[in-house]
Amino acid sequence: MADTATAPATGPGTPAPVAEATGISKRFGATVALRDACITVAPGEAHALVGRNGAGKSTLVSILTGLLPPGTGTLRFSGEPAPAFGDIDAWRSRVACVYQHSTTIGDLTVAENLFLNRQSAGAVRPIRWKQLRRRAEELLGEYGVAVDATARAKDLTVEQRQFVEIARALSFGARFIILDEPTAKLDARGIDRLFDKLRDLQRQGVAFLFISHHLQEVYDLCTTVTVYRDAAHILTAPVAELGHQALVEAMTGESASTVTATAGRSPAARADAPELLAVDGLTLPGVCTDISLSVRSGEVVGLAGATASGNVQVGEAIAGLHRATDGRITVGGRRVRTGSVPSALTVGVGLVPEDRHLQGLVHNRSVAENATLTVTDQLGPFGTVLPARTRAFAGRMIRDLDIKTPGAATPVSALSGGNQQKVVVARALATDPHVLVAIRPTNGVDVKSKEFLLGRIRQVADGGKAALIVSDELDDLKVCDRVVVMFHGRLVAEFERGWKDEVLVAAIEGVGGATAPATASPASAVPASNGADEHGR
């Protein structure tokens, strides 16, 4: 696709871009991370940066924030050359990044996080705590952040921690903030509140570089989009002039129809197919009450719900991570002892956890070690682990999941996000599970990796096994034969194939009047409005 980037307008009445990178290249040994890349962000602009994992986005962010020096090229902020590499205070006054994973310190208060390493006027001056809290309250009030300055960061919601990080960045004087997957752990209402806050800050002249794999968010928030692919800049264009299909084609280098087709769909499971997963009357204290669902052989079922619905905890309970106070879980007729991961593994449950960084990977270990953690009993006699057998087993998994890695011995931390997620999926499949529980399996991965992973989950069911996808992402749920919706700890609706986006989203959000379509089973198609009324919504 032709490069449509144009030089920024210049002249006496035109403010300089808050950030302008031109001709940026970066290599790591033989690997080209960026090749003659560029980007220009105007004051007060919400500018999207999208691309597949490995496209060069993370490297560009590291260069824009002063964490890495560019190999070649120039970088300017508000018309001035970038600070010297290593001048932390100068970089902080120009740019900040709010990452998907919070950088706040949980045991410190909001005020302490806001003014970390600058609590007092000098290194030997005492901290005046009352004054520090007052400064924090003034800062939070200036940007409309409704958070208690004395609260511990660990007690805040994900959304509140993001607001604190944005306020901290602005306190250094930065008017250019990079948002790296900021919505990954927010529900729809949280996303709306975040976007409202960002629009308020834009009106104050703050510019954002918005990085997301959720393309609809690009259209909802941003006015300009830049696409990177294979370490190079592909295009920059007004969002309003670039359709969804053209954007996907720019990201992947393939037509959207080709990419979408890779996930595929199989006929729905037969009604007489054996039941592989049965959850009966499951109650998790403080989370959910009387949850019952089943998944048959050959079936992919979605368990949808917003952040507070309890759907993630139900998925984790099936994999043995939570102890239930009531109810039972069986896999192929064999009971899972709740709260026992070994019991779940023994009966044939495979788990793709929600957060690959915190729950899915041992970052300082190799691809092979991470991929084979669940099958160490198959890697050698009498409890031993033979390196040659580990390499061979991992090699099969790397080929099966198409993991892009220099080799099985490569540290998993060196892989792109999409390939790290493939390692997590490979480990879940290594035991050849009867039931695969995949919690938000495409979180933070690019379009093509998303389609591949969903297609691989579909293959599990097509092979006669069962899969449960726990997610609030519509793309994840569209590969399912059925979708069951949770709201505030209860099942509120069930949808067969053919559901409409707006109806499913209404059920997930507990909006009054949302009902399951006529194709849903009457016994399980409970109107979502009932759940909403029950909880006083």
Side-chain angles (χ1 to χ4, degrees):
M1 186 174 293
D3 186 329
T4 61
T6 57
T10 58
T14 304
V18 292
E20 183 179 13
T22 56
I24 301 293
S25 296
K26 185 70 178 179
R27 299 177 68 97
F28 298 98
T31 302
V32 177
L34 283 175
R35 183 186 303 107
D36 196 29
C38 61
I39 195 165
T40 301
V41 182
E45 180 182 42
H47 191 124
L49 175 62
V50 300
R52 293 170 53 191
N53 291 103
K57 304 187 302 296
S58 296
T59 303
L60 180 70
V61 168
S62 295
I63 291 172
L64 286 174
T65 53
L67 296 178
L68 287 175
T72 63
T74 59
L75 181 61
R76 302 175 72 85
F77 294 101
S78 300
E80 299 294 328
F85 181 68
D87 188 346
I88 296 174
D89 290 338
W91 281 94
R92 280 177 173 169
S93 69
R94 290 162 174 79
V95 58
C97 185
V98 177
Y99 295 94
Q100 177 181 343
H101 303 281
S102 177
T103 59
T104 57
I105 300 175
D107 288 327
L108 298 184
T109 67
V110 169
E112 291 167 329
N113 273 282
L114 286 171
F115 296 104
L116 193 63
N117 294 328
R118 47 186 181 144
Q119 297 97 324
S120 63
V124 295
R125 300 285 294 275
I127 299 174
R128 298 183 177 180
W129 293 106
K130 187 177 294 185
Q131 184 180 27
L132 181 70
R133 286 191 290 271
R134 186 172 63 251
R135 289 167 59 202
E137 290 166 356
E138 290 172 353
L139 178 64
L140 294 170
E142 181 181 355
Y143 296 111
V145 179
V147 175
D148 182 358
T150 63
R152 300 282 177 187
K154 65 184 178 183
D155 296 327
L156 302 181
T157 66
V158 173
E159 178 187 347
Q160 289 173 324
R161 286 197 295 270
Q162 289 179 337
F163 289 157
V164 168
E165 293 195 68
I166 291 172
R168 181 174 61 189
L170 295 171
S171 73
F172 285 100
R175 287 298 178 268
F176 172 49
I177 299 180
I178 300 169
L179 300 169
D180 187 4
E181 295 285 348
T183 64
K185 295 188 176 181
L186 299 179
D187 60 19
R189 289 190 179 89
I191 293 170
D192 287 342
R193 287 190 292 267
L194 173 64
F195 284 8
D196 286 344
K197 179 60 62 183
L198 298 182
R199 293 184 185 104
D200 287 343
L201 292 172
Q202 282 183 261
R203 287 189 281 270
Q204 298 179 43
V206 179
F208 296 96
L209 183 63
F210 181 77
I211 300 172
S212 178
H213 288 301
H214 306 308
L215 300 187
Q216 184 55 50
E217 295 174 356
V218 171
Y219 290 89
D220 292 341
L221 179 69
C222 301
T223 55
T224 308
V225 59
T226 290
V227 179
Y228 276 26
R229 187 177 75 238
D230 297 333
H233 173 273
I234 299 301
L235 66 81
T236 294
V239 171
E241 298 177 10
L242 194 66
H244 283 70
Q245 181 171 337
L247 181 55
V248 172
E249 288 178 4
M251 292 171 60
T252 64
E254 303 174 12
S255 70
S257 58
T258 301
V259 175
T260 303
T262 58
R265 270 229 178 128
S266 297
R270 300 192 321 272
D272 60 348
E275 185 179 71
L276 289 186
L277 171 66
V279 179
D280 298 305
L282 183 72
T283 297
L284 301 174
V287 175
C288 65
T289 302
D290 196 27
I291 300 296
S292 297
L293 60 91
S294 66
V295 187
R296 295 183 177 277
S297 169
E299 192 176 33
V300 179
V301 170
L303 182 59
T307 302
S309 69
N311 66 332
V312 170
Q313 291 87 340
V314 170
E316 291 175 340
I318 294 169
L321 293 177
H322 302 296
R323 186 180 300 279
T325 56
D326 197 8
R328 58 184 284 149
I329 301 168
T330 57
V331 173
R334 301 172 66 190
R335 187 163 185 171
V336 177
R337 191 167 69 254
T338 62
S340 171
V341 173
S343 173
L345 285 171
T346 299
V347 301
V349 178
L351 174 67
V352 178
E354 178 184 16
D355 190 321
R356 63 176 173 270
H357 299 286
L358 295 178
Q359 302 167 293
L361 297 170
V362 184
H363 286 275
N364 61 343
R365 311 303 289 181
S366 69
V367 172
E369 290 170 299
N370 273 276
T372 58
L373 282 173
T374 55
V375 290
T376 53
D377 59 323
Q378 301 179 39
L379 303 179
F382 310 112
T384 61
V385 175
L386 302 178
R389 193 173 293 184
T390 301
R391 286 193 300 271
F393 198 106
R396 292 195 299 272
M397 299 166 75
I398 289 169
R399 291 190 295 274
D400 182 41
L401 272 296
D402 192 29
I403 300 170
K404 305 300 182 186
T405 175
T410 301
V412 74
S413 57
L415 305 188
S416 69
N419 285 298
Q420 288 180 347
Q421 187 71 357
K422 288 181 180 180
V423 173
V424 175
V425 174
R427 184 174 65 235
L429 296 177
T431 59
D432 192 24
H434 295 298
V435 174
L436 175 66
V437 178
I439 303 177
R440 293 177 179 153
T442 65
N443 188 21
V445 305
D446 60 75
V447 174
K448 195 167 186 180
S449 294
K450 177 183 291 190
E451 298 294 343
F452 180 90
L453 290 170
L454 293 174
R456 191 63 184 81
I457 293 170
R458 180 74 254 180
Q459 287 177 25
V460 170
D462 292 346
K465 306 299 176 62
L468 181 71
I469 295 179
V470 182
S471 183
D472 58 356
E473 286 291 324
L474 298 186
D475 287 344
D476 293 352
L477 300 172
K478 283 176 180 174
V479 303
C480 299
D481 302 301
R482 293 184 289 121
V483 177
V484 181
V485 181
M486 286 184 65
F487 181 75
H488 283 194
R490 293 183 181 275
L491 296 179
V492 295
E494 179 172 333
F495 299 85
E496 299 289 345
R497 283 182 178 177
W499 46 264
K500 295 186 180 299
D501 291 5
E502 62 271 20
V503 179
L504 181 60
V505 169
I508 290 172
E509 295 300 322
V511 177
T515 57
T519 54
S521 168
S524 55
V526 182
S529 55
N530 291 350
D533 293 341
E534 179 179 329
H535 294 280
R537 306 283 304 200

